Amino acid sequence: EAQVTQNPRYLITVTGKKLTVTCSQNMNHEYMSWYRQDPGLGLRQIYYSMNVEVTDKGDVPEGYKVSRKEKRNFPLILESPSPNQTSLYFCASNPGQGRFTDTQYFGPGTRLTVL
Amino acid sequence: AQTVTQSQPEMSVQEAETVTLSCTYDTSESDYYLFWYKQPPSRQMILVIRQEAYKQQNATENRFSVNFQKAAKSFSLKISDSQLGDAAMYFCAYRRGYDKVIFGPGTSLSVIP
């Protein structure tokens, strides 16, 4: 089944404790992206990657890191989480070629709470 | 900078009736894509409909259709014959190629039996 997976789905942590949210897609997509969703603000793009070893900042990159060492994986790293990073996080991917290169496939979301 | 505005935080519709959700955007580009996503209580993001800016014809997917007014930078979603399963948060989104994707703040749609 074609899908984007995220782990963990739920996470409660404390301020300053490094964490990683994994994202993996099995569709051989070139493009991957991370978003955070907050009430009244919709989804805001954190980082995106157009291919392996190519990443770029979205609208709200502060406090986050990403890496793209393999095509299928795009982990989101919070080196020192703070309470204002409490949010719902989505990973998404889309193909770099073909008819629907613009259409994103979303993961199920990760609910992160930073105490 | 591109922005996407959804002026209706909440909407409601009677089952079997028609409802229109509004979306406006701001861009200086001529080539881009627009989307409507549905987010039910499960939080999964589901693509409802997409529109390529260079196409004048409005996109349609079963009971969902859009009214795309490029000059006015307007992209509204019409849901016909509303069903209980249509109750969700709806997000309008703008994308230019592989560049940033901008989402609106969302409209929460309730369907009244």
Side-chain angles (χ1 to χ4, degrees):
Chain A
E1 179 188 358
Q3 60 182 350
V4 178
T5 57
Q6 294 179 229
N7 282 293
R9 295 288 310 279
Y10 302 89
L11 179 60
I12 299 174
T13 188
V14 296
T15 299
K17 186 177 181 180
K18 181 180 179 180
L19 67 91
T20 299
V21 183
T22 64
C23 173
S24 183
Q25 49 92 7
N26 62 0
M27 296 169 280
N28 201 36
H29 286 172
E30 282 83 3
Y31 189 100
M32 299 185 74
S33 187
W34 275 104
Y35 298 88
R36 61 176 289 173
Q37 181 180 359
D38 302 289
L41 297 177
L43 279 74
R44 292 179 293 168
Q45 197 169 32
I46 303 171
Y47 269 96
Y48 63 97
S49 170
M50 294 177 61
N51 215 322
V52 175
E53 303 293 359
V54 180
T55 63
D56 208 346
K57 296 177 180 179
D59 287 324
V60 288
E62 294 78 18
Y64 304 94
K65 286 177 59 178
V66 293
S67 68
R68 188 91 181 273
K69 293 183 170 59
E70 304 169 280
K71 198 172 188 178
R72 64 181 293 130
N73 296 323
F74 190 45
L76 179 69
I77 303 159
L78 284 72
E79 295 271 4
S80 182
S82 62
N84 63 13
Q85 292 178 298
T86 292
S87 188
L88 177 60
Y89 291 85
F90 285 98
C91 180
S93 73
N94 62 282
Q97 301 177 44
R99 184 180 173 194
F100 293 109
T101 59
D102 53 285
T103 302
Q104 290 188 301
Y105 296 79
F106 282 85
T110 294
R111 172 71 70 182
L112 172 65
T113 301
V114 183
L115 302 174
Chain B
Q2 294 91 358
T3 59
V4 177
T5 301
Q6 293 177 250
S7 59
Q8 306 150 317
E10 296 179 351
M11 293 278 288
S12 62
V13 61
Q14 293 279 350
E15 195 174 3
E17 296 296 309
T18 296
V19 64
T20 298
L21 308 184
S22 301
C23 172
T24 58
Y25 57 95
D26 183 27
T27 184
S28 58
E29 302 295 327
S30 59
D31 188 17
Y32 49 87
Y33 301 89
L34 296 164
F35 306 87
W36 279 99
Y37 283 92
K38 171 185 177 181
Q39 187 181 48
S42 67
R43 303 180 315 192
Q44 180 68 42
M45 294 292 288
I46 302 166
L47 178 66
V48 175
I49 200 165
R50 62 189 285 277
Q51 174 82 41
E52 294 147 317
Y54 67 86
K55 289 187 176 180
Q56 294 187 350
Q57 186 175 5
N58 290 325
T60 299
E61 290 287 344
N62 300 315
R63 297 182 295 108
F64 299 87
S65 62
V66 298
N67 183 5
F68 173 48
Q69 302 290 329
K70 190 172 184 179
K73 297 178 183 175
S74 172
F75 184 59
S76 61
L77 175 70
K78 186 171 80 171
I79 307 174
S80 304
D81 186 24
S82 297
Q83 301 175 0
L84 295 177
D86 294 333
M89 183 72 81
Y90 287 82
F91 293 99
C92 178
Y94 161 99
R95 181 191 190 105
R96 183 194 70 187
Y98 285 115
D99 208 336
K100 297 176 183 179
V101 180
I102 310 297
F103 282 80
T107 296
S108 178
L109 178 67
S110 301
V111 179
I112 303 167

